[in-house]
Amino acid sequence: MNHIVPADQTRSRIVVALSSLVLAVGALSACGGGGEKVADAPPSTADGSAPATDLGPPPTDPNPPAVEAESAAAPVPLPTPMANAVPAPPLSQQLPAGVDLGNPGVAVKPVTATSSASQGNNSAAKAIDGSLSTRWESAQEDGAWIQFDFGAKTKLGYLKLVWQNAYGKEYGLQVSDDGQTWYQLRYVIDGKGGTEEFFNLNADVRYLRLQGVARGTQYGYSLFEVEFKSPGSDNSLALLATSALKFPASGAGLAPAPAVTEPLEVLQFSLPDGTLVTRWGMRAGGRHGRERGESWNEVGYGENETVDASGQPVDKGRGSYLRFVENYFKNRTWGVEFIDNSKVAGVTQPRLIVNEYYQQAQRGGGHGFVRGFTNPNVTGFGWMRPGEILDRTAYTLGGQGIAACPAMPRPPQRALRNPTSGYNGVIGANGGCSLIFDSYPKYKALVPDANGVLVGNGDAVAERALKAGDYFEFTNSFFSTRADMDAVGDSGAFRYYSMELTYVMGEGLRPWYGVQPRLLNTPLPAETLLGGLGSVSYDYSDDSPRMFQQPHNHIGMQNMQRFVEGRRWIHTDMRTGDHNEQGNDRNEAAVGLQGPRFNQGSCFGCHINNGRGPAPTVVNQRLDAMAVRTATIDANGQQLPHPTYGMAVQMNARSLTTGAPQDWGTSVRVSGFDVKTVKLADSTAVELSKPKVSFDGPTPGAYSLRSAQPMIGLGLLEAVSDADILARVRTTPDADGVKGQANYAYDPETGAVRVGRYGWKASKVSLRHQIAGAALLDLSVTSPVFPNRDCLAGPAKCNSGKVEPGISDDVLRLMTRYIGLLGVPAQRSLASGFPKGVAPLAALDVNPALVAAGAKVFESNRCTACHVREMKTGAGSELAEVRDQTIRPYTDLLLHDMGPDLADNFIEGQATGSMWRTPALWGIGYTEKVAGDTAKVGYLHDSRARNLTEAILWHGGEATASRQRFEALSKADRDALLAFLKSL
């Protein structure tokens, strides 16, 4: 039985209605969905074809949706470049073991204070005279200094600086026993003035000096008062009693694969007669998919801002298509359902029934089908047909500002909301605001004009029925009213554009790219879909920094809401509850969740735009946007969390009472770089640089620098079965010495033995485990997985039953689902159809032949021995979006010995110091584009490699043979290989 009324029974009524609706499109006048009178539906000639005349520019929306102000990410502050850091104090100038910290520290007064040249009578002595009405003022020079002599070696635990308005922006605190040889105790690179406190000084010295590097004003440094205290319980860190982390000795007793259950949300299913039902989620957006920062038009049809007068490319900024609007996480997502009978036996004129599931009342219309490819004026936006809204009065009322389309509850799983009824005889339609789309529009064939621009001046092409395999663009918009948004307690905007998607009849949504003419949407071929069918389409809005923030292309309608709510938490400061993008409501549930010591306030602090973290680039740079794992080695050679830092260093701190920043001496800094030069076969010299680090506090017996990895595709990797990972383990090395082994870890909540797949050494067993671990170590936020901050010291205290306020299980689930639903950009291996005279976007300026040649070099070099090209995901995930996908992550998720040059001395389970999990390469070509101007990012576990060539040349151990083949390549083959990697 056919559950949907066959198209040929309603076609005559629909054709008439469509022609009437085309004439009414201008009533809503929205340049977003179905509201472009000229661009969407060109006037017809007598023979029913599009006219051959110049149609003029698309209309201007008289009431366009507001585009909220951009939030610019603050650049990462870096110190003034210098050759080498002042060394850390030797043990003789640190506190001896056994110093009593049982009582609060007491005041310690220097004997004298001296300085470089001072201004007027504001001498150094006035900084220690106990009066806040006098001050030391230096000469107006960055390198000025003031030093304090305690007369003899003195134990120090605390220092307070009280600045006058003229403060130190950058300076070092140095110590000495002889006043000649100085060691660096602390270094400040982003001083704010006011009162600055330094705790846990761990110093036993005679002299302490403040050495200026950069002033905060044009005046000299000016200090009202400097105070010191001895070490005590109020200013120094007590040692932790730590316990070793437990890992299984092998994979024995491996937990069985989870049973296949119903996913959170079904994305696509077929009715008994073969009717295909496809559902997905939409979110509010700012502008359209082909609107970049520069206006562009075909030659002879308007202004083209993408090139200057001499034809050179121009970059005037980014578009607003991929951005997230203000308060995107509430009242701004909805669902769409296509009911497609193109593969139903006996149906000769297929059509789509389109149902929408808004959670607020909407104005009718606001849709577009089929890119307006015949019109040379359709550039940034424009569609050929709005579809037939079943009750045209809803559209008419929409033009009067009335939201006649009521909120619609979401449909049940694997069933239509109206399986045996509908609206006006259209079975399956939810109401008069549902749509019918049933024919490919008529047009005139494209021929080149005098400038070579393809325009609709050819023979008439008649309107025809849709058929299986047809593909077209679909877009719709969020057009509510002020009154209806007020009714749900939302005072924000009420009109938005949304995504532009490609649908293939009989198949479903497909990622797309733009071809001639005018970036006409076309489904991307399977080999480019690195993240499967959910891969993120090519971006023509020039918004590369947001390419790692997009959901799967076919995300479910309810999962879209889960996605944006999870995104809110990823972008939330866990102390203040503030969102890092302006205009968003404070997350009150997050206020005060962060502990007193931490690395960053939000996940975004390390994962720049969901990508990599800042690389070590300059001496004295603090590494608080990296994870520094730490351990001590006991007498039996066992690795335990470090007694000062625990499992990881937390470099920032705030007062529990005032919230003011404090320095507790736990920073890790760049102290210099080890540099060497490698000569390639063609004599090209490549400099390799490795950061050296120093600790403000004690140096751990074992430590490991870990740069943040991109968040994309992690849900897909979780969906790869254990069996698939383990099938790639080799018991003996291959001819190149490549072996590969799995890591195993205990599930922290169940104790079950599981395959490790996340983290640089594959020590985390699930996304939930990884996120909860990062929350504790980097944000100092507890969770149901790690219920207290004592978990930093190891499992003994973690299992004590102590529970501290942190993120709830519901929030952890939202964060896990958000990251699990982040899509992977499709491979940029195809040339886009940029119009004549329009400069290609840098991210899409592709040489397909070079990329293809590079892929062959990648294969012949046997890089794929570890960076496995293709995998299949299983059916065990709760997310249908990641189930049963063919993905191309370029990883085997196994550990490999990478040799001594990449080794640290940190052990996690089966992973020794030289072993690292193969990182996925998908998205690697976007690395620097995603970071934008915020920070310099790098490659490998400690971001030492400044480019992909350096990253390859650091490979050793099991990768030695592949690296040697790379070194022997010609420049042409190297360039091809790098072009391939940058296309990923």
Side-chain angles (χ1 to χ4, degrees), residues 184-233:
Q184 184 167 289
L185 193 65
R186 305 287 166 85
Y187 197 89
V188 175
I189 64 173
D190 194 26
K192 298 292 192 295
T195 298
E196 293 182 315
E197 296 180 285
F198 300 87
F199 295 79
N200 202 46
L201 291 181
N202 188 36
D204 186 14
V205 295
R206 176 173 174 176
Y207 300 95
L208 186 145
R209 177 168 67 182
L210 187 157
Q211 175 61 62
V213 177
R215 294 165 288 155
T217 71
Q218 72 270 34
Y219 303 105
Y221 302 101
S222 184
L223 279 166
F224 281 126
E225 199 67 20
V226 179
E227 300 176 10
F228 298 89
K229 286 184 181 180
S230 64
S233 58

Side-chain angles (χ1 to χ4, degrees), residues 95-105 156-158 186 198-203 230-241 596-598 630 642-646 648-654 656 662-667 695-698 792:
L95 294 180
V99 172
D100 181 14
L101 299 177
N103 297 303
L156 301 175
Y158 171 83
R186 305 287 166 85
F198 300 87
F199 295 79
N200 202 46
L201 291 181
N202 188 36
S230 64
S233 58
D234 59 337
N235 62 43
S236 297
L237 294 174
L239 296 181
L240 302 170
R597 282 182 282 280
F598 55 92
T630 55
H642 191 268
T644 298
Y645 310 114
V649 181
Q650 295 180 328
M651 304 183 204
N652 296 308
R654 287 187 179 272
L656 289 174
Q662 296 175 333
D663 186 324
W664 277 83
T666 54
S667 289
F695 289 74
D696 282 2
L792 281 165

